[in-house]
Amino acid sequence: MTGLPDTLADFGPAALAAVVVAAYLVVGEPFVGHVLHRRFEDRMRTDAAARRSFYARLLILEWGLSGLVLVVFLAAPDVQAAQLGLRWPTAWPGWPTALACTVLLVFVVVSTRALRSGALAAAPPRAPRPGEGRHSEPAVPSTVALLPRSASERRLFALVGVTAGVCEEWLYRGFMLAVVAALAPGLPSGWLVVVAAVAFGAAHAYQGVGGVLLTGVLGGVFAALYLQTGSLLLPVLLHAAVDLRFLLVPASALPPAGPSRRARWDTRGDQRDSVGPSE
């Protein structure tokens, strides 16, 4: 197990900042994620560039938070890089964690094959939100709508997938668990895994109950792998693989998600009537 900080005093003058940022990851990030995805869904109905814009915002947010955590770490005199997982693995994971990682890899392969076969295209659309009106275009789940369709979107999504692997492991495993261990010295590693799972699942609350449970399990597996190997390397690689598998799914296997023909014409008032009478 990685040697986590013993007390909050290890963070020195950066102690308060460390606690505030860790609290934001647990409490603030679920709210921010919800707001960003609601705005994305609204914009997607009329703006063909909504997906690329959302990818760009994710990159700015995650690298910005990671940079802030790096500043906090550099200002913490008694916290070493190894205590945040910035080193090569020093041990093999225990067999339960190794088994969980194997199951995760099998999940990546099987789910990718299912997605390529068109499983998402056959998924039922979500019900429209209040105020969208009964004549709104059928909406797909926001997580499906986020998947790239064009070549330019795929290039940006590749950056988002790598960013998620690097930044989210640095934030939720390396940094946050160090702060939790400093706040609760002697907390068993099993409880640290639970904390990581709950925080990571809550950060994906916009995905609904199923998304929270799935990402919570993933967060727990990544945390166990990190704590037992003492390094963020393997969690980063696994995390990136989970996200980047969507690049193997062709656009033809995805449901349409973007501005509809009606929405595109409705944004041009002089040609609104060409679509058909409103009801």
Side-chain angles (χ1 to χ4, degrees):
M1 175 178 171
T2 183
L4 297 172
D6 296 322
T7 67
L8 195 60
D10 291 346
F11 285 89
L16 178 60
V19 172
V20 170
V21 175
Y24 167 80
L25 292 174
V26 176
V27 180
E29 190 64 19
F31 173 76
V32 171
H34 175 74
V35 171
L36 286 178
H37 280 77
R38 286 290 295 269
R39 290 179 178 176
F40 163 71
E41 285 185 310
D42 293 337
R43 184 177 176 183
M44 187 179 61
R45 295 182 180 85
T46 57
D47 186 358
R51 201 172 288 109
R52 292 192 298 274
S53 176
F54 185 80
Y55 294 163
R57 292 186 181 189
L58 283 180
L59 292 172
I60 293 172
L61 177 62
E62 297 214 348
W63 283 110
L65 279 173
S66 296
L68 178 60
V69 167
L70 179 61
V71 171
V72 172
F73 161 63
L74 293 176
D78 296 323
V79 177
Q80 306 301 315
Q83 294 178 295
L84 300 184
L86 301 180
R87 62 178 173 181
W88 294 105
T90 59
W92 291 101
W95 71 263
T97 301
L99 178 61
C101 291
T102 301
V103 171
L104 178 56
L105 289 173
V106 172
F107 164 76
V108 169
V109 174
V110 172
S111 62
T112 301
R113 290 174 61 90
L115 295 176
R116 287 177 61 86
S117 69
L120 287 177
R126 69 160 175 81
R129 296 197 306 266
E132 289 181 352
R134 64 187 182 92
H135 295 294
S136 298
E137 287 291 312
V140 298
S142 60
T143 50
V144 178
L146 280 173
L147 300 184
R149 269 70 173 179
S150 67
S152 61
E153 289 175 355
R154 286 177 177 273
R155 287 192 293 270
L156 265 179
F157 187 85
L159 291 177
V160 171
V162 173
T163 292
V166 173
C167 294
E168 291 179 9
E169 293 309 306
W170 166 243
L171 293 169
Y172 281 94
R173 258 62 69 181
F175 172 74
M176 193 192 75
L177 290 184
V179 176
V180 172
L183 288 171
L187 189 67
S189 59
W191 281 107
L192 290 174
V193 170
V194 171
V195 170
V198 171
F200 198 60
H204 296 79
Y206 65 88
Q207 296 183 9
V209 175
V212 169
L213 293 176
L214 176 59
T215 54
V217 170
L218 291 176
V221 172
F222 296 150
L225 185 59
Y226 160 56
L227 292 173
Q228 292 177 13
T229 63
S231 171
L232 290 174
L233 178 61
L234 294 180
V236 165
L237 294 177
L238 274 178
H239 192 153
V242 170
D243 288 358
L244 292 175
R245 78 188 193 278
F246 292 112
L247 290 176
L248 300 177
V249 182
S252 59
L254 298 174
S260 65
R261 180 173 178 269
R262 174 182 293 273
R264 289 195 298 268
W265 281 83
D266 282 355
T267 58
R268 299 162 60 183
D270 57 330
Q271 300 183 20
R272 180 187 300 266
D273 293 337
S274 301
V275 180
S278 58
E279 300 177 20

